[in-house]
Amino acid sequence: MATHSELLANTRNIGIMAHIDAGKTTTTERILYYTGKSYKLGEVHEGTAVMDWMEQEQERGITITSAATTCFWKDTKINIIDTPGHVDFTVEVERCLRVLDGVIAVFCAVGGVEPQSETVWRQADRYRIPRMAFINKMDRIGADFHRCVSMIADRLGAYPLPLQLPVGKETEFEGVVDLIEEKMLLFNEQSLGQEIIEKEIPAPYIEEFTAARMALIEKLADFDESVMEKFVEDTSVSKSEIYAALRKATLALQVVPVLCGSAFKNKGVQPLLDGIIRYLPSPLDVPAIAGLDQDGNPVSRETDAGGKFCGLVFKLMSDAYVENLAFIRLYSGCITVGDKIFNSCKGKQEKVAKILKLHANKREEVSQLTAGDIGAIVGLKFTTTGDTLCEKGDFIVLESMDFPEPVIGVAIEPKTKAEEKKLEETLKKIALEDPSFTISVNGDTGQTIISGMGELHLEIIVDRLINDFKVSANIGKPQVAYKESLTARGKAEGKFDQLTGAKGQYGHVVLEIEPLGRGQGFEFVSLVDDTQIPSIFLAAIQKSVVDSLDAGPLLGYPLTDVKISLVGGSYHEDESTDMAFGISTSMAMRRAALEAQPVLLEPVMDLEVVTPEEYVGDVISDLNSKRAKIIGVDAASNYQMLKAHVPLSEMFGYSTALRSATQGRANFTMQFLEYNVVPAAKAEAIIKKIRGI
């Protein structure tokens, strides 16, 4: 029987990531079919894809939630997570990449490196994850393998190494030439690509193959000494040496092996599976996971089933019928049903009620998870996304995850008074599983506002509320999550001097407030000494400053990018209290902020529109009317790619407008870029509208 180390060496924890509509889910479906996990091919456009199991995914033909599954290929266990491509669900990609060892980046052979491809690539860079590239849709009109490879190098700053050449292009695409095995591979369409036909390389491809193979060995020589020696001596390099050098360079993040195919036409998927085994890391190849102990000192855990248990909860999932499922990646040790474990982030003990292995929305109960596994635990009461779980009596906190701030909100209210509690509980449930979704209450109107990453994000949440959780609710129109900032310096004092009962309350502060650079948040400094205000009151003053930042002077939106200095004040030995200093600080903050010429900030989006040439003029003139700043126009075959920065407030309903202006032939993607000042006239109109003037 294989030892645990041997089993781990034959395990791959991988993710599939890409821009929306590059073919991630179709590629995953083919992997499941060829590995025997599925018995028939699921199709995204028919709503039959195994990994897109949510009703909302099947209706829209997109991936919304990351789905996990396990399959086997040539005695290797592959745990796969299929992640969403739409920018509104970027948090799903972020948390999955945090726990994966390797990634397949899927690129559309026509679109190449698209905006969301860049976003997910940067996320993988941040976690230093080895990756492979699969250039998909080689059968599509406009497919260009070499252009895609160039774009991976130019746009992503990577070092792509093609290991195959396409045989035929567009509708004539038949298969691939394998540069290492020196064979042509064709995929029998009658057997749905199951049967691979190996042939000698045809004469028309010999010249291109020879040049490409030489370039591959030459590049590998830069990363491997033994290949370098043979290359310099002009002796042949064996296949096993090439595979070993490639694996070493991929794991060191020096190269990205590039394969190609057409998942939809069942071509090129089995070589991709071979590549996963050959080039992507096993849990044993990954460096020991680093964390902090109770005193904040660095500690680490090796991937070892016999070590102390340590794991990271990277996702929570709940539905109308099941308790919370906590998705966990085990880095060391093992857990068994019934174990008592410790949540080091919350300082709470938890009990493992059930352990599940997942195949999309199907669940299989197991008794144990060991180091290197990805699974789900049922029964955790205090744990949230990003928490570390460890052995009782042990302490380690692993690096958590950063989640983006929501940029769009809608008001929501129950249709009946009886639904009020159910709506509140359901929203809390959804917020627990989705860290990019927040709930707040407007202080002026008392309305509940739900906020998310985009229109589609909120649309899906509302859809789930009504259809999955059966909560009836009225939804308002989308509202932009504005912020406020300052353009000048302001100075004000706040004095609270009141007699309440036998004891008085006294607090007096003088604050200066000034703008900081965009995106710098806030800074608080105290320039007073103990003779003016004793240091015991500074915590109360700072807390009041932070609380005051929640509501700016213009419309009550959060105040950001400001520096607050405590420059003066006084106290009374007997009557000064934390409460008095808190009240006087909030008075001073409001006065100083009003004096410092406040401005409204709005989220600005990074937009890319892909449109046929004949509509470029119409698209640009429409964007100009939306206060967009055109950054550039690039030609790509018979399409044009427009890049622009545009305020989110102008983009509601843009997909419908763009479709009607271009007869449905253009599409766009946008993602949050930064907050910027709203022009004065526009800001005045927004303020009047919100204040109801």
Side-chain angles (χ1 to χ4, degrees):
M1 191 175 165
T3 64
H4 186 257
S5 288
E6 288 168 338
L7 290 172
L8 275 181
N10 289 331
T11 298
R12 301 288 181 272
N13 291 317
I14 65 154
I16 298 189
M17 66 178 196
H19 183 88
I20 189 168
D21 210 25
K24 293 176 306 305
T25 301
T26 303
T27 304
T28 312
E29 292 299 319
R30 296 311 184 262
I31 287 173
L32 297 182
Y33 180 67
Y34 295 129
T35 57
K37 189 77 184 180
S38 298
Y39 298 104
K40 66 184 182 66
L41 289 173
E43 301 295 4
V44 173
H45 61 278
E46 292 173 4
T48 57
V50 174
M51 302 301 269
D52 283 353
W53 55 271
M54 284 171 73
E55 196 178 306
Q56 292 84 354
E57 294 176 314
Q58 292 167 356
E59 281 173 9
R60 292 168 177 80
I62 61 168
T63 302
I64 292 166
T65 183
S66 48
T69 191
T70 302
C71 57
F72 289 85
W73 181 252
K74 296 183 179 174
D75 299 327
T76 297
K77 179 168 82 169
I78 305 174
N79 295 319
I80 301 176
I81 296 183
D82 174 29
T83 63
H86 198 287
V87 68
D88 282 16
F89 308 104
T90 188
V91 69
E92 279 287 315
V93 184
E94 178 79 22
R95 55 187 175 187
C96 293
L97 289 179
R98 172 67 182 82
V99 298
L100 291 170
D101 301 330
V103 163
I104 298 168
V106 178
F107 298 94
C108 170
V110 182
V113 176
E114 298 171 276
Q116 189 62 7
S117 317
E118 294 186 52
T119 304
V120 294
W121 194 272
R122 304 280 172 249
Q123 287 172 306
D125 277 343
R126 190 158 63 248
Y127 294 121
R128 296 193 55 76
I129 301 175
R131 63 213 85 145
M132 290 169 59
F134 180 62
I135 296 174
N136 191 26
K137 303 194 177 185
M138 287 301 303
D139 59 308
R140 290 270 300 275
I141 301 293
D144 189 333
F145 176 74
H146 297 292
R147 173 176 166 267
C148 278
V149 173
S150 299
M151 287 177 85
I152 292 170
D154 298 342
R155 286 202 181 184
L156 304 178
Y159 203 133
L161 265 188
L163 308 185
Q164 296 174 340
L165 295 173
V167 175
K169 59 185 291 191
E170 300 178 343
T171 51
E172 305 294 310
F173 176 67
E174 288 183 88
V176 296
V177 169
D178 189 317
L179 299 182
I180 304 173
E181 293 292 331
E182 303 179 69
K183 296 271 186 213
M184 179 172 75
L185 306 178
L186 303 178
F187 302 86
N188 186 330
E189 292 186 21
Q190 275 70 47
S191 67
L192 296 175
Q194 292 257 36
E195 186 193 342
I196 300 173
I197 303 155
E198 288 190 5
K199 289 191 171 181
E200 293 303 313
I201 298 166
Y205 287 92
I206 289 290
E207 192 178 326
E208 189 186 358
F209 158 76
T210 307
R213 192 172 198 276
M214 185 58 71
L216 168 66
I217 293 169
E218 190 178 340
K219 283 180 182 176
L220 279 180
D222 293 341
F223 307 113
D224 189 279
E225 282 183 24
S226 63
V227 176
M228 170 66 87
E229 282 171 25
K230 292 201 171 181
F231 179 71
V232 170
E233 291 164 9
D234 203 18
T235 54
S236 67
V237 184
S238 70
K239 293 173 192 174
S240 60
E241 285 174 310
I242 295 175
Y243 285 132
L246 259 172
R247 180 174 180 79
K248 191 170 133 194
T250 306
L251 297 188
L253 304 180
Q254 292 173 316
V255 301
V256 177
V258 182
L259 306 177
C260 66
S262 166
F264 182 57
K265 292 288 174 68
N266 312 312
K267 291 172 182 171
V269 178
Q270 294 95 323
L272 177 65
L273 279 162
D274 291 337
I276 292 170
I277 296 168
R278 284 187 180 127
Y279 313 122
L280 293 183
S282 75
L284 295 176
D285 297 314
V286 177
I289 190 74
L292 299 173
D293 67 11
Q294 217 152 356
D295 303 318
N297 299 319
V299 285
S300 62
R301 295 279 184 273
E302 297 284 345
T303 305
D304 177 12
K308 291 179 177 177
F309 158 63
C310 164
L312 184 78
V313 172
F314 64 96
K315 175 177 172 172
L316 292 186
M317 193 171 90
S318 59
D319 56 37
Y321 313 104
V322 184
E323 299 172 70
N324 268 353
L325 285 179
F327 285 62
I328 185 171
R329 161 70 193 264
L330 261 69
Y331 287 102
S332 64
C334 62
I335 48 167
T336 310
V337 174
D339 279 358
K340 287 184 176 159
I341 54 179
F342 182 66
N343 181 327
S344 53
C345 298
K346 301 285 191 295
K348 300 274 191 181
Q349 185 177 290
E350 296 271 30
K351 187 175 178 185
V352 180
K354 273 186 201 168
I355 300 176
L356 304 172
K357 281 289 185 75
L358 302 157
H359 175 49
N361 62 332
K362 296 183 176 65
R363 294 149 190 170
E364 174 199 345
E365 277 196 48
V366 293
S367 60
Q368 190 180 59
L369 288 177
T370 54
D373 279 342
I374 291 175
I377 303 175
V378 179
L380 304 184
K381 291 191 165 40
F382 309 105
T383 300
T384 53
T385 301
D387 284 358
T388 304
L389 298 176
C390 57
E391 257 181 39
K392 204 178 156 195
D394 187 24
F395 193 98
I396 180 172
V397 174
L398 303 176
E399 182 194 351
S400 193
M401 293 164 265
D402 292 326
F403 297 116
E405 282 185 51
V407 292
I408 182 172
V410 296
I412 187 168
E413 60 181 32
K415 282 192 173 170
T416 64
K417 190 77 179 162
E419 296 263 87
E420 203 169 307
K421 194 167 188 322
K422 190 177 178 187
L423 175 65
E424 189 183 327
E425 286 172 357
T426 307
L427 287 175
K428 280 181 182 168
K429 233 183 198 184
I430 295 172
L432 195 65
E433 65 175 73
D434 183 352
S436 62
F437 169 71
T438 61
I439 311 154
S440 59
V441 176
N442 184 307
D444 297 330
T445 62
Q447 281 183 312
T448 299
I449 308 291
I450 56 172
S451 305
M453 299 304 296
E455 283 184 275
L456 181 64
H457 188 199
L458 292 180
E459 186 189 312
I460 299 293
I461 282 167
V462 169
D463 196 316
R464 286 187 66 199
L465 270 175
I466 294 164
N467 295 320
D468 296 357
F469 293 99
K470 312 293 182 207
V471 179
S472 304
N474 294 319
I475 312 297
K477 285 186 176 172
Q479 302 291 324
V480 175
Y482 291 105
K483 288 187 179 183
E484 297 179 27
S485 193
L486 308 172
T487 54
R489 296 171 78 100
K491 186 175 181 179
E493 70 172 333
K495 185 182 273 190
F496 185 72
D497 186 359
Q498 197 173 12
L499 288 171
T500 54
K503 192 174 184 302
Q505 296 272 1
Y506 182 86
H508 172 220
V509 298
V510 181
L511 295 179
E512 270 188 7
I513 193 165
E514 60 188 293
L516 286 177
R518 195 66 62 239
Q520 287 188 289
F522 92 99
E523 197 181 315
F524 173 77
V525 292
S526 170
L527 304 175
V528 298
D529 58 31
D530 270 21
T531 60
Q532 289 175 284
I533 299 174
S535 55
I536 57 167
F537 296 118
L538 289 182
I541 292 170
Q542 183 164 355
K543 182 181 183 303
S544 183
V545 165
V546 173
D547 290 345
S548 300
L549 294 173
D550 285 344
L554 285 175
L555 291 168
Y557 288 111
L559 188 61
T560 187
D561 303 332
V562 291
K563 179 180 179 180
I564 301 101
S565 306
L566 175 62
V567 294
S570 60
Y571 77 106
H572 192 287
E573 206 159 302
D574 297 325
E575 296 183 345
S576 284
T577 62
D578 281 354
M579 187 183 92
F581 272 108
I583 294 168
S584 60
T585 301
S586 68
M587 290 159 65
M589 275 289 290
R590 185 146 191 86
R591 288 170 190 158
L594 277 167
E595 192 184 291
Q597 297 172 23
V599 288
L600 204 56
L601 301 180
E602 64 184 345
V604 174
M605 311 303 279
D606 192 0
L607 174 77
E608 184 163 302
V609 181
V610 178
T611 175
E613 283 181 48
E614 59 263 39
Y615 300 113
V616 169
D618 294 341
V619 172
I620 289 177
S621 102
D622 181 45
L623 285 174
N624 285 334
S625 73
K626 296 180 185 300
R627 298 191 284 129
K629 180 180 173 188
I630 307 295
I631 304 300
V633 182
D634 292 332
S637 59
N638 57 341
Y639 280 80
Q640 299 279 337
M641 295 166 77
L642 271 77
K643 286 178 179 280
H645 296 162
V646 58
L648 174 64
S649 59
E650 304 284 349
M651 295 304 287
F652 294 138
Y654 184 62
S655 55
T656 309
L658 183 67
R659 274 201 297 270
S660 59
T662 61
Q663 298 181 2
R665 292 174 62 198
N667 59 58
F668 77 99
T669 53
M670 67 177 183
Q671 52 197 341
F672 172 70
L673 177 69
E674 62 185 358
Y675 270 89
N676 226 325
V677 178
V678 181
K682 183 75 180 171
E684 198 177 319
I686 293 167
I687 291 167
K688 280 182 178 174
K689 185 181 174 187
I690 292 175
R691 285 181 180 165
I693 298 170

